[in-house]
Amino acid sequence: MTTDDAADADATAHSSAWFAAGDTESTGDRIRSGSADAPADWPTLAVESGFAVDEAEYYGKLREATVEAARAAVDERERADDRQLLHAVRAMDDAERVANELAERVAEWAGTLFPDAGTGVEGCRDIAERDPDGPAEERVVSLASRVADLDRESDDLEAFIESRAPVAAPNLAALAGPVLAARLISLAGGLEALAKKPSGTLQVLGAEDALFAHLRGHGSSPKHGVIYTHEYVRGTRPEDRGSASRALAGKLTIAARIDHYSGDYRPELEAELDERMRTIRARAGDTAAGGDGGGSE
């Protein structure tokens, strides 16, 4: 290497150094977005450029910059659409669960005060509309109002999920439906994590207890997890649900990967899944025809 080449390489290293941040770019941003063609003696370059007085100060500033970069990355990740779906579906489930639990308490308590008190969340809505007479009725009416509020919040969260899932995961939402798509993302821990899972794992998401029991030798292997709520699994005859679950899980896995890595909507996935399910469900007709034929001979 000539002297001029060495000088050019040194200048390039200085310009690409993480501490050579511009006026509008912090050192943390530089660490997240910067790159270098080759390694360099960064501590020496930092001292020569006046960024640090010695190597110890350089590493101190490097630590501060990397912590800043990590915090920014975490904040950005937590604000991502799939993380918002994760929190929303968990909050929806919590609101529904707590509303139902409190509704049981309200029904038991209200039954001692109002002879015509109803049960469940619907009964709480009716009780919440009453004018209380005395401290006990006031508390029951107040508690029933909280149940009604939680039920409305659950509905609002579901509406939020239905509007956001097609944005965060268009293909997954189209195949699974917005709420099931959000549940799968939640169970996996995010869209990226879901996209990296094999279809066999996606197929049993939500059935972890049954799966672990099977691995311990205490039960049969589960054929499906939360995807059972999909019409293509729930609406298929029991003997074909294993095939239906595998077909659905396979397409959902492809959809999750497309959503994470490219984000473009692929309508052909729905057509392919529909065709596969028609084939699986046609077995019922073939079996019936075979049985009729055998019985007539």
Side-chain angles (χ1 to χ4, degrees):
M1 179 183 292
T2 65
T3 302
D4 290 341
D5 290 339
D8 290 342
D10 188 56
T12 300
H14 271 88
S15 63
S16 62
W18 67 268
F19 46 81
D23 294 337
T24 60
E25 187 179 31
S26 70
T27 53
D29 291 337
R30 183 81 171 188
I31 285 176
R32 292 188 66 196
S33 61
S35 63
D37 294 333
D41 187 0
W42 304 115
T44 299
L45 291 174
V47 173
E48 291 177 352
S49 68
F51 177 76
V53 297
D54 55 24
E55 187 173 310
E57 184 178 3
Y58 164 79
Y59 282 113
K61 291 186 175 183
L62 175 61
R63 180 184 181 281
E64 293 176 0
T66 53
V67 169
E68 176 192 335
R71 285 175 176 166
V74 169
D75 183 64
E76 180 180 299
R77 181 70 192 94
E78 284 300 311
R79 291 177 179 273
D81 285 339
D82 66 317
R83 298 297 294 181
Q84 301 307 306
L85 280 178
L86 180 154
H87 291 303
V89 75
R90 291 178 181 177
M92 181 185 73
D93 289 343
D94 287 344
E96 183 178 356
R97 173 181 54 80
V98 174
N100 286 325
E101 289 178 355
L102 285 177
E104 293 181 11
R105 173 59 56 200
V106 171
E108 184 177 348
W109 193 356
T112 67
L113 300 172
F114 309 117
D116 60 341
T119 60
V121 173
E122 193 62 39
C124 287
R125 291 198 190 97
D126 294 336
I127 294 170
E129 299 297 324
R130 295 174 181 264
D131 292 324
D133 182 14
E137 289 188 8
E138 184 177 344
R139 297 275 45 88
V140 171
V141 169
S142 176
L143 190 57
S145 298
R146 300 298 185 273
V147 173
D149 289 342
L150 278 172
D151 185 59
R152 282 191 292 271
E153 184 61 36
S154 178
D155 291 342
D156 291 343
L157 285 164
E158 183 174 2
F160 170 79
I161 291 167
E162 289 176 346
S163 68
R164 297 305 301 170
V167 176
N171 294 287
L172 193 64
L175 266 62
V179 174
L180 178 55
R183 288 196 194 288
L184 290 169
I185 290 172
S186 174
L187 288 167
L191 180 58
E192 180 178 4
L194 183 64
K196 292 179 178 179
K197 292 187 182 299
S199 62
T201 300
L202 183 150
Q203 182 178 337
V204 295
L205 281 176
E208 288 76 13
D209 289 345
L211 178 60
F212 293 147
H214 164 68
L215 294 176
R216 291 193 298 267
H218 299 312
S220 59
S221 176
K223 294 180 180 179
H224 43 65
V226 72
I227 65 170
Y228 175 77
T229 60
H230 195 287
E231 166 59 23
Y232 275 161
V233 179
R234 188 183 68 252
T236 299
R237 64 178 187 159
E239 52 266 48
D240 290 329
R241 281 179 188 158
S243 298
S245 296
R246 287 190 293 274
L248 177 60
K251 287 302 180 183
L252 292 179
T253 299
I254 294 171
R257 290 171 181 170
I258 294 172
D259 288 337
H260 174 64
Y261 292 108
S262 67
D264 58 312
Y265 174 55
R266 308 277 183 87
E268 62 269 22
L269 289 178
E270 294 179 74
E272 291 168 2
L273 177 60
D274 292 344
E275 179 60 29
R276 176 60 182 148
M277 290 307 306
R278 277 194 292 270
T279 301
I280 291 173
R281 289 182 167 183
R283 297 173 186 171
D286 293 341
T287 301
D292 291 343
S296 62
E297 293 179 353

